[in-house]
Amino acid sequence: RRGSVLVVKLIMMEGRTSEQKEALIRRLSEAAAGELGCPLEEVRVVIYEVSKNEWGIGGKSVAKRESEAG
């Protein structure tokens, strides 16, 4: 719908640099605007970072899995 703000929410594990996140915000915004035909200025990107202690895989946190792997 034209004239509506578009919000892209991204959940990822912590650890990326500010530069990586800035590039990701730019590319996600450009892709969303291009695919949906809305102005780039109407695209918002929100990044939620989760710590390795709060991200689970296979019943264990990533922090626990990494500590067990050595």
Side-chain angles (χ1 to χ4, degrees):
R1 204 173 107 197
R2 287 198 168 290
S4 297
V5 171
L6 171 67
V7 179
V8 178
K9 296 180 181 180
L10 175 67
I11 302 171
M12 66 184 188
M13 198 176 319
E14 65 184 358
R16 275 71 173 200
T17 66
S18 295
E19 293 79 16
Q20 288 173 315
K21 290 184 273 187
E22 191 67 35
L24 183 58
I25 289 169
R26 184 185 72 252
R27 294 187 70 188
L28 285 173
S29 297
E30 291 169 350
E35 288 298 319
L36 299 175
C38 65
L40 185 61
E41 295 75 25
E42 293 187 10
V43 178
R44 312 294 189 262
V45 176
V46 181
I47 297 176
Y48 298 94
E49 287 188 287
V50 179
S51 77
K52 292 179 179 185
N53 290 313
E54 298 166 333
W55 192 288
I57 301 172
K60 296 180 184 178
S61 71
V62 172
K64 179 76 170 172
R65 293 169 65 91
E66 287 179 352
S67 72
E68 291 177 351

